[in-house]
Amino acid sequence: MTETPNFDLNAFLPYRLNAAAARISRAFAERYREEFGISIPEWRVLAHLHQSGDVSVRDIEARADMEKSKVSRAASRLEAGGYITKAVNDSDRRLVSLRLTEDGRALVARVLPVAMTFQQEMLDRLGDAASGLDQGLSVLLDNGK
């Protein structure tokens, strides 16, 4: 009979990273949902469009590690709100390009200070551990290199 290795879920790195990310994401979401009425997927779409300019749903899906359906639904809600426009790619009709509207850029300009304040609060909370966490995340997010 094979002995089961000693396993502590609370010490398992993937579990801890996921739990920390979920808690932080929810805490940040509470702030912008109350003030701006947007969801986590909507925030991610807006942030990616602000960072990268016109991008496809597929690009956001890959960069934000979000399911295509979530990106598409968020984009549809943002389009209905007048924050983004959608355009079908002429060379590949399956690709939809997203672009911030003037209202979308104004919304992002209002949300970014909230995001930066939230980030600073997290960095302050981490204190001296912040630089080590940043380095570790950079290694983990470096696409396995």
Side-chain angles (χ1 to χ4, degrees):
M1 186 160 99
T2 306
E3 187 174 316
T4 304
N6 188 16
F7 179 76
D8 180 2
L9 182 61
N10 292 323
F12 188 57
L13 182 61
Y15 175 80
R16 295 178 72 204
L17 286 171
N18 186 63
R23 287 180 191 173
I24 290 168
S25 187
R26 279 193 309 270
F28 179 46
E30 286 177 21
R31 292 193 186 179
Y32 59 72
R33 182 176 32 251
E34 288 174 10
E35 191 166 345
F36 307 107
I38 58 175
S39 67
I40 292 171
E42 291 165 350
W43 153 251
R44 290 178 183 167
V45 168
L46 289 169
H48 278 281
L49 291 173
H50 171 74
Q51 181 79 29
S52 303
D54 298 6
V55 294
S56 71
V57 168
R58 189 179 296 167
D59 290 336
I60 294 174
E61 173 191 0
R63 292 179 190 171
D65 197 24
M66 287 173 54
E67 295 172 9
K68 182 179 177 185
S69 61
K70 283 187 177 185
V71 176
S72 294
R73 283 193 302 271
S76 292
R77 287 189 301 268
L78 291 167
E79 182 183 34
Y83 299 117
I84 68 168
T85 59
K86 293 180 185 178
V88 176
N89 185 303
D90 290 333
S91 59
D92 185 347
R93 310 255 337 133
R94 296 170 299 172
L95 292 180
V96 175
S97 180
L98 308 176
R99 171 181 289 168
L100 286 172
T101 64
E102 194 61 41
D103 285 347
R105 285 188 289 280
L107 176 60
V108 169
R110 292 176 32 231
V111 176
L112 286 180
V114 174
M116 298 308 295
T117 297
F118 185 82
Q119 176 171 290
Q120 189 58 53
E121 290 169 5
M122 294 295 100
L123 292 172
D124 291 347
R125 186 172 169 191
L126 286 165
D128 292 340
S131 64
L133 176 62
D134 186 54
Q135 290 171 344
L137 289 173
S138 292
V139 169
L140 293 174
L141 294 171
D142 193 23
N143 294 322
K145 295 178 185 175

